[in-house]
Amino acid sequence: MAIQITKETDYAIRCILYLIGMNGQVCTVGDISREQSIPYTFAAKIMQKLARAGLIESVRGVKGGFVLKRRPEEISLLDIVEAIEGPISMNICVLDRKSCDRQPRCPVHPWWVEISEVLRERLGEFTFDRILK
Amino acid sequence: MAIQITKETDYAIRCILYLIGMNGQVCTVGDISREQSIPYTFAAKIMQKLARAGLIESVRGVKGGFVLKRRPEEISLLDIVEAIEGPISMNICVLDRKSCDRQPRCPVHPWWVEISEVLRERLGEFTFDRILK
DNA sequence: CAAAACAGGATTAGATTAGTCCTAATTAGA
DNA sequence: TCTAATTAGGACTAATCTAATCCTGTTTTG
């Protein structure tokens, strides 16, 4: 676990980008997988996560697929990162205080809390309306 | 590779913290390993990396060990993270443009460059003199 | 009811992280 | 000068996580 988003998250961003480009049209996993060069079953998993997070909506059955559920300005990098990887923290101790074995207080802990928060804020500022310009 | 420092980096921070607390006294890997609960051989590797990065200095032979080479205000979280994990980038494409298969331009690329830079700056602001207060 | 699609659990392969082992090289001190 | 304490560093192993696949089930159009 180094300081980098996963390939899955990178794929997820491409998925959203693709849906934005399709302007409300329902797209299948097949379309997305083909156009964005993402392995089919992996793309399917990613779309499920994005749907559970409420960023996109699934339509089941023949003629089904996925559509964007929010407008581009309502979707940020943070939304996608958290939909795929879960809550952000620069060090596990931020989310799970027990994991820090240097009880009761590690002097660096508050720094990680602060840096994690800064990163969240920044990721939240990058919304997809900005990308179209 | 998710957005989080590794355990090795966390250990490295403890090593520096320990040396700072020892006020210029030469400390062995044994001391550090014992006091900070880091497996001996792993701690040895970490100290080597910190030494190569110029944060600490090694003294070989009997009575040898490690000493801080810089003052606390000259050591930041960034120095340690980069000494252990190498250059920071939120997405591989920031360091290795070739790794981005969506040539020639991915619209998200400049965002990752910017976010990586913000993170570097923030990590650089946390210097170890601040921790003592 | 058949075919096209999503849902989701279980599994596998590959990469990375975490940690170990072993054999030097260095040096203080008996 | 020999020995013990110590760092240097390459090779290796174990554990964990990421990336990807497989399979079975459910929904829905025509």
Side-chain angles (χ1 to χ4, degrees), chain B residues 42-60:
Chain B
F42 200 24
K45 292 294 184 208
I46 291 168
M47 297 306 275
Q48 281 178 36
K49 286 193 189 177
L50 294 174
R52 276 188 228 112
L55 301 181
I56 64 179
E57 194 158 31
S58 74
V59 179
R60 299 187 67 167

Side-chain angles (χ1 to χ4, degrees), chain B residues 14-100:
Chain B
R14 292 192 211 166
C15 290
I16 293 289
L17 238 21
Y18 182 76
L19 286 186
I20 289 176
M22 293 312 277
N23 260 95
Q25 196 182 312
V26 174
C27 302
T28 66
V29 171
D31 296 336
I32 297 163
S33 155
R34 212 174 314 107
E35 293 301 313
Q36 297 291 320
S37 319
I38 303 169
Y40 182 89
T41 51
F42 200 24
K45 292 294 184 208
I46 291 168
M47 297 306 275
Q48 281 178 36
K49 286 193 189 177
L50 294 174
R52 276 188 228 112
L55 301 181
I56 64 179
E57 194 158 31
S58 74
V59 179
R60 299 187 67 167
V62 184
K63 302 265 174 186
F66 294 88
V67 217
L68 219 54
K69 199 172 169 183
R70 303 189 193 166
R71 278 170 300 144
E73 61 267 36
E74 296 169 335
I75 302 177
S76 69
L77 285 184
L78 179 66
D79 295 320
I80 302 181
V81 171
E82 293 202 324
I84 303 295
E85 308 189 9
I88 284 179
S89 82
M90 288 290 300
N91 197 347
I92 15 167
C93 64
V94 173
L95 291 174
D96 172 25
R97 197 62 223 259
K98 292 185 303 296
S99 71
C100 181

Side-chain angles (χ1 to χ4, degrees), chain A residues 44-95:
Chain A
K45 290 296 181 205
I46 291 168
M47 297 306 275
Q48 280 178 37
K49 287 192 189 177
L50 294 174
R52 274 189 228 114
L55 302 181
I56 64 180
E57 194 157 31
S58 75
V59 180
R60 299 188 67 166
V62 184
K63 302 264 174 188
F66 294 89
V67 219
L68 219 52
K69 200 172 170 182
R70 304 189 191 166
R71 279 169 301 143
E73 61 267 34
E74 295 168 335
I75 303 177
S76 69
L77 285 185
L78 179 66
D79 295 321
I80 302 182
V81 170
E82 292 202 325
I84 303 297
E85 308 189 8
I88 284 179
S89 82
M90 289 288 302
N91 197 347
I92 16 166
C93 63
V94 173
L95 291 174

Side-chain angles (χ1 to χ4, degrees), chain A residues 14-54:
Chain A
R14 295 192 207 167
C15 291
I16 293 290
L17 238 21
Y18 181 78
L19 286 186
I20 288 175
M22 295 310 280
N23 260 96
Q25 195 183 312
V26 175
C27 302
T28 67
V29 170
D31 297 336
I32 296 163
S33 156
R34 213 174 312 108
E35 295 300 315
Q36 298 289 320
S37 318
I38 302 169
Y40 182 88
T41 51
F42 201 23
K45 290 296 181 205
I46 291 168
M47 297 306 275
Q48 280 178 37
K49 287 192 189 177
L50 294 174
R52 274 189 228 114

Side-chain angles (χ1 to χ4, degrees), chain A residues 1-6 10 13-14 17 35-37 77 81 85 88-92 101-102 107-108 111-112 114-115 118-119 122-123 126-128 130-131, chain B residues 1-6 10 13-14 17 35-37 77 81 85 88-92 101-102 107-108 111-112 114-115 118-119 122-123 126-128 130-131:
Chain A
M1 234 184 298
I3 306 176
Q4 212 166 71
I5 58 162
T6 62
D10 191 72
I13 292 169
R14 295 192 207 167
L17 238 21
E35 295 300 315
Q36 298 289 320
S37 318
L77 285 185
V81 170
E85 308 189 8
I88 284 179
S89 82
M90 289 288 302
N91 197 347
I92 16 166
D101 47 6
R102 313 301 295 171
V108 191
W111 294 6
W112 291 126
E114 183 175 339
I115 295 170
V118 166
L119 185 59
R122 280 320 196 96
L123 288 170
F126 288 96
T127 51
F128 284 82
R130 292 178 57 188
I131 212 149
Chain B
M1 234 185 297
I3 305 179
Q4 213 165 70
I5 58 163
T6 62
D10 192 70
I13 292 168
R14 292 192 211 166
L17 238 21
E35 293 301 313
Q36 297 291 320
S37 319
L77 285 184
V81 171
E85 308 189 9
I88 284 179
S89 82
M90 288 290 300
N91 197 347
I92 15 167
D101 48 4
R102 312 302 294 170
V108 191
W111 293 7
W112 292 125
E114 183 175 339
I115 295 170
V118 166
L119 185 57
R122 279 323 196 97
L123 288 171
F126 289 95
T127 51
F128 284 81
R130 292 178 56 189
I131 213 150

